[in-house]
């Protein structure tokens, strides 16, 4: 196996992925839920591809298949980015340049649909009555060394009856202020320091970049939709490397299934309330060196391969059940990594660093009165607006 070949790089990417998740899981404030979910989700989706490479003999056949798996994983530029961060720059010649997600495409009925778009405040205000928009939910989260926000607005359409749902993201978040008693009305502005999203009379999200995904079944009738209708291809092209899922059989099947189930458990942290329930550190401990171990088992003497894969299956299935569901209380001294507010239910979900063991945890509580969310530099603050004092933070 060439040290700089596709097979070796695929193995390295898997081994480093598990290491990286494990480092974040025990790193307290370094825990990046979005990155953990992204990496684990990629391996859940491509577990079959990796083990189909492991199953190939002779070894010469592995290189083109491994290159295809790497390229398929890196189709979107966002996926390519985490692969380079994880495996290093040496992976770049093997995965190509990637491609941006389409800004517009057509659905099965031929209607033009939006992808993720840069936020254009004036254009958005033409199609939606933003002063009458209502916040559905807002999430503020630590992403790497900075902060980011996601939110959903329900906004009356100006071009048709009914409401559209607008999902927005703000990257490089520098300033946050939100009052749960002030959730009607929105505005999107450009400022010298970057885009601003105004919520209610005083709410503010200010960051370095903002994007929007309109979740609106009638978007093709909007001014923005009609403007791109003539230049949008009628079919969404398949991504290079897309192919039907192929699972290896025989002695590899059990190990492949156990591996996929383990990374699937880790991937569940995409739901903030699952943080703390999933034994991420323990799963990463048993998955350590998964790529190297699987390849070594396949390359060993045939008489030993069955036993080697049986040992891997048992190892990767050995972690016990999930922990208890998110609690309703926050310990003193906890530091927030995520706070989310849902307007209709008044449900507050938080992720925090446990002051005792430094592990990520979650809590969920119905906030009966007013809640204030903000930041102090890179620290998140959650305040009971009726008391006027921070709640634990």
């Amino acid at each position: 196996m060439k040290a700089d070949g596709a097979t070796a790089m695929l193995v390295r990417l898997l081994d480093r992925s598990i290491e990286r998740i494990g480092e974040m899981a025990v790193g307290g404030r370094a825990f990046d839920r979005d990155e953990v979910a992204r990496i684990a989700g990629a391996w859940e989706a491509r577990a079959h591809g990796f083990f189909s490479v492991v199953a190939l003999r002779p070894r010469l056949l592995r290189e083109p298949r491994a290159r295809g798996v790497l390229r398929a994983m890196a189709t979107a530029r966002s996926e390519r980015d985490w692969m380079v961060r994880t495996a290093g720059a040496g992976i770049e010649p093997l995965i190509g340049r990637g491609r941006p997600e389409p800004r517009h495409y057509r659905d099965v009925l031929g209607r033009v649909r939006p992808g993720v778009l840069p936020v254009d405040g004036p254009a958005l205000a033409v199609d939606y009555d933003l002063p009458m928009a209502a916040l559905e939910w807002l999430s503020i989260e630590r992403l790497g060394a900075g902060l980011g926000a996601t939110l959903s607005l329900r906004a009356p359409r100006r071009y048709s009856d009914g409401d559209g749902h607008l999902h927005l993201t703000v990257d490089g978040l520098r300033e946050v202020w939100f009052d749960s008693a002030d959730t009607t009305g929105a505005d999107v502005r450009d400022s010298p320091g970057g885009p601003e999203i105004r919520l209610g009379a005083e709410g503010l999200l200010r960051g370095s970049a903002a994007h929007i995904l309109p979740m609106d079944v009638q978007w093709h009738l909007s001014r923005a939709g009609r403007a791109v209708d003539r230049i949008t291809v009628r079919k969404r092209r398949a991504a290079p490397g897309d192919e039907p899922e192929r699972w290896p059989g025989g002695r590899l099947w059990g190990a492949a299934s156990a591996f996929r189930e383990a990374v699937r458990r880790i991937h569940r942290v995409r739901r903030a309330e699952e943080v703390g329930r999933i034994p991420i550190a323990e799963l990463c401990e048993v998955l350590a060196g998964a790529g190297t171990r699987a390849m070594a088992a396949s390359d060993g003497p045939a008489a030993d391969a069955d036993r080697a894969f049986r040992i891997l299956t048992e190892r990767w299935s050995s972690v016990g059940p999930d922990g208890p569901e998110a609690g309703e209380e926050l310990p003193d001294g906890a530091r927030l990594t995520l706070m989310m507010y849902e307007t209709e239910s008044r449900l507050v979900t938080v992720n925090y660093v446990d002051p005792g063991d430094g592990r990520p945890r979650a809590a969920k509580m119905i906030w009966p009165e007013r809640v204030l969310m903000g930041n102090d530099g890179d620290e998140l603050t959650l305040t009971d607006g009726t008391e006027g004092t921070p709640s634990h933070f």
Side-chain angles (χ1 to χ4, degrees), residues 55-104:
L56 285 174
R57 302 291 290 270
R59 299 176 192 175
L60 185 64
L61 299 175
R62 289 175 178 164
E63 280 296 289
R65 175 63 181 152
R67 189 175 297 108
V69 173
L70 287 170
R71 285 185 173 270
M73 291 179 75
T75 296
R77 287 183 182 171
S78 58
E79 297 303 305
R80 184 184 186 278
D81 290 346
W82 79 257
M83 294 171 70
V84 174
R85 286 196 299 270
T86 303
I91 199 173
E92 293 188 85
L94 296 168
I95 60 178
R97 298 177 59 185
R99 69 177 188 181
E101 295 291 338
R103 289 192 174 184
H104 314 101

Side-chain angles (χ1 to χ4, degrees), residues 20-41:
R20 191 153 183 245
I21 292 173
E23 291 165 359
M24 287 189 284
V26 298
R29 294 187 68 209
F31 181 71
D32 186 334
R33 183 186 64 89
D34 184 72
E35 184 83 341
V36 169
R38 182 187 301 276
I39 295 173

Side-chain angles (χ1 to χ4, degrees), residues 79 85 98 169 322 340 342 363:
E79 297 303 305
R85 286 196 299 270
T169 64
D322 298 340
M340 179 175 181
E342 300 175 46

Side-chain angles (χ1 to χ4, degrees), residues 189-214:
R189 308 175 185 177
D190 284 324
S191 69
E196 296 180 358
I197 297 177
R198 301 275 176 167
L199 298 173
E202 298 184 359
L204 173 66
L205 302 171
R206 179 181 288 130
S208 59
H211 295 83
I212 184 169
L213 176 61

Side-chain angles (χ1 to χ4, degrees), residues 338-372:
L338 172 145
M339 51 190 182
M340 179 175 181
Y341 180 77
E342 300 175 46
T343 304
E344 183 175 357
S345 64
R346 294 181 297 187
L347 178 67
V348 174
T349 303
V350 297
N351 290 168
Y352 62 93
V353 180
D354 192 300
D357 60 15
R359 296 287 185 91
R361 296 282 188 267
K364 294 175 64 175
M365 61 214 85
I366 300 297
W367 211 283
E369 303 294 340
R370 182 182 180 194
V371 60
L372 308 176

Side-chain angles (χ1 to χ4, degrees), residues 66 73 102 104 182 186 313 316 331-332 390:
M73 291 179 75
H104 314 101
D182 183 21
T313 301
W316 295 340
D332 291 334

